Amino acid sequence: ARGPMDLPFLMLAMMLLGIGLIMLLSASFPSAQADPDVGYDALYYFKRQAGFAGLGVFAMLWMSKINYHRFEGPAKWILRISFVLLVLVLIPGVGITRNHATRWLGIPGVQAGQFQPSEVAKLGIIIYFAQSISSKREKMKTWREGFLPHIVILLAAVLLIGKEHLSGAILIFGIGAAMMVVGGIHWGWIAAGLASVGTAGYVVLFTDFMEKVVKYNASRITVWRDPFGGTPEFQRDQAWQTIQSLITVGSGGLLGVGLGKSRQKFMFLPEEHNDFIFAVVFEELGLVGATLIMALFAMLIIRGFWLAIHARDRFGSLLVVGVTTQIALQTFLNIAVVTNLIPNTGISLPFFSYGGTALAIQLVEVGIVLSVSRQIKAPKAG
């Protein structure tokens, strides 16, 4: 039996989408108005994002009407296509580079015809892991059939993405790990994983390992530790983004300077309409407004996990866990970067940050959650 979609989850997602579009318009018009590549069109980013939002909402509603069990059959092919796309990005001349990062496929020089395979890979991992874990059941506690094949796939995805897109690698690992835990892997592997992540985190953040051995992204760790330290050149060249983000956040105070009235978005804060859009939220809406938006995200995440607990079957439950974990991790990591709680990983904020591929796929994922919610049995009256 198929009932109505879950209205609380739908309304929370649509509220965040609406607020996100308003904030994107406010944050993006100064840089768009000064950019010859977009024809000095102040509304360029907003119009593109609104277009993708419209397509995404249509896809979300269409997806919500599909029986989510139809994804079980093609799950392996979805994962394989995701991996092929990830490999193509790494091929010189095929992957497209923007802002010193090679993350895109499509038509060179035409942003409208480009997309990020890492976004597709997140959805691919969620669907495949949900199908595989739900079919194995008790075998998930075993090494050979449960833990090993899933961790190999997960690490392969992390390695393919990690070199050019650290945040994408972190997200995919977190999503897959959460689904494996919920899927019932042995507690020993959970303990070993937590210990490994904790140890690696300590080595990366609090030792000179990155600087002396790996020599990769070491400057981000240095900036995170003390963005206001070092020489003026260090502050201007390497720590500028973090310093400007903290200034933007602090400028808002309790109630903010007012919607549309941010000063930092006028060429001071880099990526103001993308990874650092929440800093503009802090400045314009203040701590109160930012907290209310974080509360909306929290309610969406809590409602998602509630739907996962009450899903009709294991496959549906794992699908919702994957999508909700992605939203939760991405939201936490983005706000943590904006406030310098963690080093900058270049991570976007769901429903807010500019990016057509990401927004469209996020709305498709919302549609999958709504599809699962339509098969939840309603509680009996009385």
Side-chain angles (χ1 to χ4, degrees), residues 342-359:
I342 63 172
N344 187 355
T345 58
I347 201 161
S348 60
L349 183 64
F351 308 113
F352 279 68
S353 294
Y354 177 73
T357 309
L359 181 62

mmCIF file with all atom_site columns, all heavy atoms in Angstrom, residues 342-359:
data_model
loop_
_atom_site.group_PDB
_atom_site.id
_atom_site.type_symbol
_atom_site.label_atom_id
_atom_site.label_alt_id
_atom_site.label_comp_id
_atom_site.label_asym_id
_atom_site.label_entity_id
_atom_site.label_seq_id
_atom_site.pdbx_PDB_ins_code
_atom_site.Cartn_x
_atom_site.Cartn_y
_atom_site.Cartn_z
_atom_site.occupancy
_atom_site.B_iso_or_equiv
_atom_site.pdbx_formal_charge
_atom_site.auth_seq_id
_atom_site.auth_comp_id
_atom_site.auth_asym_id
_atom_site.auth_atom_id
_atom_site.pdbx_PDB_model_num
ATOM 1   N N   . ILE A 1 342 ? 37.115 23.314 12.051  1.00 0.00 ? 342 ILE A N   1
ATOM 2   C CA  . ILE A 1 342 ? 37.959 22.321 11.392  1.00 0.00 ? 342 ILE A CA  1
ATOM 3   C C   . ILE A 1 342 ? 38.658 22.990 10.211  1.00 0.00 ? 342 ILE A C   1
ATOM 4   O O   . ILE A 1 342 ? 38.222 24.054 9.757   1.00 0.00 ? 342 ILE A O   1
ATOM 5   C CB  . ILE A 1 342 ? 37.148 21.091 10.911  1.00 0.00 ? 342 ILE A CB  1
ATOM 6   C CG1 . ILE A 1 342 ? 36.117 21.516 9.847   1.00 0.00 ? 342 ILE A CG1 1
ATOM 7   C CG2 . ILE A 1 342 ? 36.474 20.384 12.073  1.00 0.00 ? 342 ILE A CG2 1
ATOM 8   C CD1 . ILE A 1 342 ? 35.413 20.348 9.185   1.00 0.00 ? 342 ILE A CD1 1
ATOM 9   N N   . PRO A 1 343 ? 39.735 22.392 9.686   1.00 0.00 ? 343 PRO A N   1
ATOM 10  C CA  . PRO A 1 343 ? 40.411 22.984 8.513   1.00 0.00 ? 343 PRO A CA  1
ATOM 11  C C   . PRO A 1 343 ? 39.493 23.045 7.299   1.00 0.00 ? 343 PRO A C   1
ATOM 12  O O   . PRO A 1 343 ? 38.559 22.250 7.159   1.00 0.00 ? 343 PRO A O   1
ATOM 13  C CB  . PRO A 1 343 ? 41.582 22.024 8.275   1.00 0.00 ? 343 PRO A CB  1
ATOM 14  C CG  . PRO A 1 343 ? 41.802 21.334 9.570   1.00 0.00 ? 343 PRO A CG  1
ATOM 15  C CD  . PRO A 1 343 ? 40.450 21.220 10.204  1.00 0.00 ? 343 PRO A CD  1
ATOM 16  N N   . ASN A 1 344 ? 39.791 23.968 6.412   1.00 0.00 ? 344 ASN A N   1
ATOM 17  C CA  . ASN A 1 344 ? 39.001 24.162 5.198   1.00 0.00 ? 344 ASN A CA  1
ATOM 18  C C   . ASN A 1 344 ? 39.125 22.946 4.268   1.00 0.00 ? 344 ASN A C   1
ATOM 19  O O   . ASN A 1 344 ? 40.223 22.587 3.851   1.00 0.00 ? 344 ASN A O   1
ATOM 20  C CB  . ASN A 1 344 ? 39.484 25.420 4.476   1.00 0.00 ? 344 ASN A CB  1
ATOM 21  C CG  . ASN A 1 344 ? 38.615 25.786 3.291   1.00 0.00 ? 344 ASN A CG  1
ATOM 22  O OD1 . ASN A 1 344 ? 37.692 25.052 2.922   1.00 0.00 ? 344 ASN A OD1 1
ATOM 23  N ND2 . ASN A 1 344 ? 38.906 26.905 2.671   1.00 0.00 ? 344 ASN A ND2 1
ATOM 24  N N   . THR A 1 345 ? 38.006 22.331 3.961   1.00 0.00 ? 345 THR A N   1
ATOM 25  C CA  . THR A 1 345 ? 38.007 21.166 3.064   1.00 0.00 ? 345 THR A CA  1
ATOM 26  C C   . THR A 1 345 ? 37.281 21.448 1.757   1.00 0.00 ? 345 THR A C   1
ATOM 27  O O   . THR A 1 345 ? 37.147 20.563 0.917   1.00 0.00 ? 345 THR A O   1
ATOM 28  C CB  . THR A 1 345 ? 37.341 19.951 3.743   1.00 0.00 ? 345 THR A CB  1
ATOM 29  O OG1 . THR A 1 345 ? 35.991 20.298 4.118   1.00 0.00 ? 345 THR A OG1 1
ATOM 30  C CG2 . THR A 1 345 ? 38.099 19.530 4.984   1.00 0.00 ? 345 THR A CG2 1
ATOM 31  N N   . GLY A 1 346 ? 36.763 22.660 1.585   1.00 0.00 ? 346 GLY A N   1
ATOM 32  C CA  . GLY A 1 346 ? 36.064 22.989 0.346   1.00 0.00 ? 346 GLY A CA  1
ATOM 33  C C   . GLY A 1 346 ? 34.745 22.266 0.209   1.00 0.00 ? 346 GLY A C   1
ATOM 34  O O   . GLY A 1 346 ? 34.473 21.631 -0.802  1.00 0.00 ? 346 GLY A O   1
ATOM 35  N N   . ILE A 1 347 ? 33.901 22.361 1.230   1.00 0.00 ? 347 ILE A N   1
ATOM 36  C CA  . ILE A 1 347 ? 32.648 21.604 1.249   1.00 0.00 ? 347 ILE A CA  1
ATOM 37  C C   . ILE A 1 347 ? 31.458 22.556 1.142   1.00 0.00 ? 347 ILE A C   1
ATOM 38  O O   . ILE A 1 347 ? 31.462 23.650 1.721   1.00 0.00 ? 347 ILE A O   1
ATOM 39  C CB  . ILE A 1 347 ? 32.558 20.756 2.534   1.00 0.00 ? 347 ILE A CB  1
ATOM 40  C CG1 . ILE A 1 347 ? 31.567 19.612 2.371   1.00 0.00 ? 347 ILE A CG1 1
ATOM 41  C CG2 . ILE A 1 347 ? 32.217 21.596 3.739   1.00 0.00 ? 347 ILE A CG2 1
ATOM 42  C CD1 . ILE A 1 347 ? 31.765 18.518 3.377   1.00 0.00 ? 347 ILE A CD1 1
ATOM 43  N N   . SER A 1 348 ? 30.454 22.167 0.373   1.00 0.00 ? 348 SER A N   1
ATOM 44  C CA  . SER A 1 348 ? 29.293 23.036 0.142   1.00 0.00 ? 348 SER A CA  1
ATOM 45  C C   . SER A 1 348 ? 28.200 22.770 1.167   1.00 0.00 ? 348 SER A C   1
ATOM 46  O O   . SER A 1 348 ? 28.184 21.738 1.831   1.00 0.00 ? 348 SER A O   1
ATOM 47  C CB  . SER A 1 348 ? 28.749 22.808 -1.270  1.00 0.00 ? 348 SER A CB  1
ATOM 48  O OG  . SER A 1 348 ? 28.349 21.457 -1.438  1.00 0.00 ? 348 SER A OG  1
ATOM 49  N N   . LEU A 1 349 ? 27.268 23.725 1.274   1.00 0.00 ? 349 LEU A N   1
ATOM 50  C CA  . LEU A 1 349 ? 26.149 23.608 2.206   1.00 0.00 ? 349 LEU A CA  1
ATOM 51  C C   . LEU A 1 349 ? 24.898 23.188 1.442   1.00 0.00 ? 349 LEU A C   1
ATOM 52  O O   . LEU A 1 349 ? 24.497 23.854 0.490   1.00 0.00 ? 349 LEU A O   1
ATOM 53  C CB  . LEU A 1 349 ? 25.900 24.947 2.906   1.00 0.00 ? 349 LEU A CB  1
ATOM 54  C CG  . LEU A 1 349 ? 24.793 24.964 3.963   1.00 0.00 ? 349 LEU A CG  1
ATOM 55  C CD1 . LEU A 1 349 ? 25.151 24.057 5.135   1.00 0.00 ? 349 LEU A CD1 1
ATOM 56  C CD2 . LEU A 1 349 ? 24.552 26.401 4.466   1.00 0.00 ? 349 LEU A CD2 1
ATOM 57  N N   . PRO A 1 350 ? 24.259 22.071 1.829   1.00 0.00 ? 350 PRO A N   1
ATOM 58  C CA  . PRO A 1 350 ? 23.071 21.611 1.106   1.00 0.00 ? 350 PRO A CA  1
ATOM 59  C C   . PRO A 1 350 ? 21.989 22.686 1.017   1.00 0.00 ? 350 PRO A C   1
ATOM 60  O O   . PRO A 1 350 ? 21.721 23.406 1.986   1.00 0.00 ? 350 PRO A O   1
ATOM 61  C CB  . PRO A 1 350 ? 22.584 20.424 1.966   1.00 0.00 ? 350 PRO A CB  1
ATOM 62  C CG  . PRO A 1 350 ? 23.803 19.945 2.672   1.00 0.00 ? 350 PRO A CG  1
ATOM 63  C CD  . PRO A 1 350 ? 24.624 21.174 2.936   1.00 0.00 ? 350 PRO A CD  1
ATOM 64  N N   . PHE A 1 351 ? 21.404 22.804 -0.179  1.00 0.00 ? 351 PHE A N   1
ATOM 65  C CA  . PHE A 1 351 ? 20.295 23.712 -0.480  1.00 0.00 ? 351 PHE A CA  1
ATOM 66  C C   . PHE A 1 351 ? 20.700 25.190 -0.546  1.00 0.00 ? 351 PHE A C   1
ATOM 67  O O   . PHE A 1 351 ? 19.902 26.022 -0.954  1.00 0.00 ? 351 PHE A O   1
ATOM 68  C CB  . PHE A 1 351 ? 19.137 23.571 0.522   1.00 0.00 ? 351 PHE A CB  1
ATOM 69  C CG  . PHE A 1 351 ? 18.651 22.166 0.702   1.00 0.00 ? 351 PHE A CG  1
ATOM 70  C CD1 . PHE A 1 351 ? 18.829 21.505 1.904   1.00 0.00 ? 351 PHE A CD1 1
ATOM 71  C CD2 . PHE A 1 351 ? 18.027 21.487 -0.337  1.00 0.00 ? 351 PHE A CD2 1
ATOM 72  C CE1 . PHE A 1 351 ? 18.377 20.204 2.072   1.00 0.00 ? 351 PHE A CE1 1
ATOM 73  C CE2 . PHE A 1 351 ? 17.587 20.188 -0.183  1.00 0.00 ? 351 PHE A CE2 1
ATOM 74  C CZ  . PHE A 1 351 ? 17.757 19.547 1.023   1.00 0.00 ? 351 PHE A CZ  1
ATOM 75  N N   . PHE A 1 352 ? 21.925 25.533 -0.130  1.00 0.00 ? 352 PHE A N   1
ATOM 76  C CA  . PHE A 1 352 ? 22.352 26.926 -0.079  1.00 0.00 ? 352 PHE A CA  1
ATOM 77  C C   . PHE A 1 352 ? 23.447 27.234 -1.093  1.00 0.00 ? 352 PHE A C   1
ATOM 78  O O   . PHE A 1 352 ? 23.336 28.203 -1.839  1.00 0.00 ? 352 PHE A O   1
ATOM 79  C CB  . PHE A 1 352 ? 22.859 27.295 1.327   1.00 0.00 ? 352 PHE A CB  1
ATOM 80  C CG  . PHE A 1 352 ? 21.774 27.612 2.315   1.00 0.00 ? 352 PHE A CG  1
ATOM 81  C CD1 . PHE A 1 352 ? 20.903 26.625 2.759   1.00 0.00 ? 352 PHE A CD1 1
ATOM 82  C CD2 . PHE A 1 352 ? 21.610 28.899 2.812   1.00 0.00 ? 352 PHE A CD2 1
ATOM 83  C CE1 . PHE A 1 352 ? 19.906 26.909 3.677   1.00 0.00 ? 352 PHE A CE1 1
ATOM 84  C CE2 . PHE A 1 352 ? 20.615 29.204 3.729   1.00 0.00 ? 352 PHE A CE2 1
ATOM 85  C CZ  . PHE A 1 352 ? 19.755 28.202 4.156   1.00 0.00 ? 352 PHE A CZ  1
ATOM 86  N N   . SER A 1 353 ? 24.512 26.438 -1.089  1.00 0.00 ? 353 SER A N   1
ATOM 87  C CA  . SER A 1 353 ? 25.679 26.737 -1.917  1.00 0.00 ? 353 SER A CA  1
ATOM 88  C C   . SER A 1 353 ? 25.349 26.640 -3.403  1.00 0.00 ? 353 SER A C   1
ATOM 89  O O   . SER A 1 353 ? 24.557 25.787 -3.827  1.00 0.00 ? 353 SER A O   1
ATOM 90  C CB  . SER A 1 353 ? 26.816 25.781 -1.583  1.00 0.00 ? 353 SER A CB  1
ATOM 91  O OG  . SER A 1 353 ? 27.278 25.994 -0.269  1.00 0.00 ? 353 SER A OG  1
ATOM 92  N N   . TYR A 1 354 ? 25.998 27.497 -4.191  1.00 0.00 ? 354 TYR A N   1
ATOM 93  C CA  . TYR A 1 354 ? 25.811 27.479 -5.635  1.00 0.00 ? 354 TYR A CA  1
ATOM 94  C C   . TYR A 1 354 ? 26.401 26.209 -6.224  1.00 0.00 ? 354 TYR A C   1
ATOM 95  O O   . TYR A 1 354 ? 27.501 25.795 -5.896  1.00 0.00 ? 354 TYR A O   1
ATOM 96  C CB  . TYR A 1 354 ? 26.496 28.699 -6.261  1.00 0.00 ? 354 TYR A CB  1
ATOM 97  C CG  . TYR A 1 354 ? 26.428 28.734 -7.770  1.00 0.00 ? 354 TYR A CG  1
ATOM 98  C CD1 . TYR A 1 354 ? 25.236 29.032 -8.409  1.00 0.00 ? 354 TYR A CD1 1
ATOM 99  C CD2 . TYR A 1 354 ? 27.554 28.460 -8.539  1.00 0.00 ? 354 TYR A CD2 1
ATOM 100 C CE1 . TYR A 1 354 ? 25.163 29.062 -9.792  1.00 0.00 ? 354 TYR A CE1 1
ATOM 101 C CE2 . TYR A 1 354 ? 27.507 28.494 -9.918  1.00 0.00 ? 354 TYR A CE2 1
ATOM 102 C CZ  . TYR A 1 354 ? 26.299 28.789 -10.545 1.00 0.00 ? 354 TYR A CZ  1
ATOM 103 O OH  . TYR A 1 354 ? 26.228 28.810 -11.912 1.00 0.00 ? 354 TYR A OH  1
ATOM 104 N N   . GLY A 1 355 ? 25.638 25.575 -7.106  1.00 0.00 ? 355 GLY A N   1
ATOM 105 C CA  . GLY A 1 355 ? 26.082 24.345 -7.763  1.00 0.00 ? 355 GLY A CA  1
ATOM 106 C C   . GLY A 1 355 ? 24.884 23.556 -8.241  1.00 0.00 ? 355 GLY A C   1
ATOM 107 O O   . GLY A 1 355 ? 24.137 22.996 -7.435  1.00 0.00 ? 355 GLY A O   1
ATOM 108 N N   . GLY A 1 356 ? 24.682 23.539 -9.547  1.00 0.00 ? 356 GLY A N   1
ATOM 109 C CA  . GLY A 1 356 ? 23.490 22.912 -10.111 1.00 0.00 ? 356 GLY A CA  1
ATOM 110 C C   . GLY A 1 356 ? 23.438 21.409 -9.920  1.00 0.00 ? 356 GLY A C   1
ATOM 111 O O   . GLY A 1 356 ? 22.398 20.855 -9.535  1.00 0.00 ? 356 GLY A O   1
ATOM 112 N N   . THR A 1 357 ? 24.575 20.712 -10.178 1.00 0.00 ? 357 THR A N   1
ATOM 113 C CA  . THR A 1 357 ? 24.597 19.259 -10.030 1.00 0.00 ? 357 THR A CA  1
ATOM 114 C C   . THR A 1 357 ? 24.252 18.854 -8.608  1.00 0.00 ? 357 THR A C   1
ATOM 115 O O   . THR A 1 357 ? 23.410 17.984 -8.376  1.00 0.00 ? 357 THR A O   1
ATOM 116 C CB  . THR A 1 357 ? 25.991 18.696 -10.375 1.00 0.00 ? 357 THR A CB  1
ATOM 117 O OG1 . THR A 1 357 ? 26.406 19.193 -11.635 1.00 0.00 ? 357 THR A OG1 1
ATOM 118 C CG2 . THR A 1 357 ? 25.971 17.179 -10.421 1.00 0.00 ? 357 THR A CG2 1
ATOM 119 N N   . ALA A 1 358 ? 24.925 19.491 -7.649  1.00 0.00 ? 358 ALA A N   1
ATOM 120 C CA  . ALA A 1 358 ? 24.721 19.149 -6.248  1.00 0.00 ? 358 ALA A CA  1
ATOM 121 C C   . ALA A 1 358 ? 23.269 19.376 -5.826  1.00 0.00 ? 358 ALA A C   1
ATOM 122 O O   . ALA A 1 358 ? 22.653 18.521 -5.190  1.00 0.00 ? 358 ALA A O   1
ATOM 123 C CB  . ALA A 1 358 ? 25.665 19.960 -5.373  1.00 0.00 ? 358 ALA A CB  1
ATOM 124 N N   . LEU A 1 359 ? 22.707 20.530 -6.189  1.00 0.00 ? 359 LEU A N   1
ATOM 125 C CA  . LEU A 1 359 ? 21.339 20.843 -5.782  1.00 0.00 ? 359 LEU A CA  1
ATOM 126 C C   . LEU A 1 359 ? 20.342 19.875 -6.398  1.00 0.00 ? 359 LEU A C   1
ATOM 127 O O   . LEU A 1 359 ? 19.436 19.372 -5.710  1.00 0.00 ? 359 LEU A O   1
ATOM 128 C CB  . LEU A 1 359 ? 20.989 22.280 -6.178  1.00 0.00 ? 359 LEU A CB  1
ATOM 129 C CG  . LEU A 1 359 ? 19.581 22.746 -5.792  1.00 0.00 ? 359 LEU A CG  1
ATOM 130 C CD1 . LEU A 1 359 ? 19.399 22.719 -4.280  1.00 0.00 ? 359 LEU A CD1 1
ATOM 131 C CD2 . LEU A 1 359 ? 19.307 24.149 -6.330  1.00 0.00 ? 359 LEU A CD2 1
#
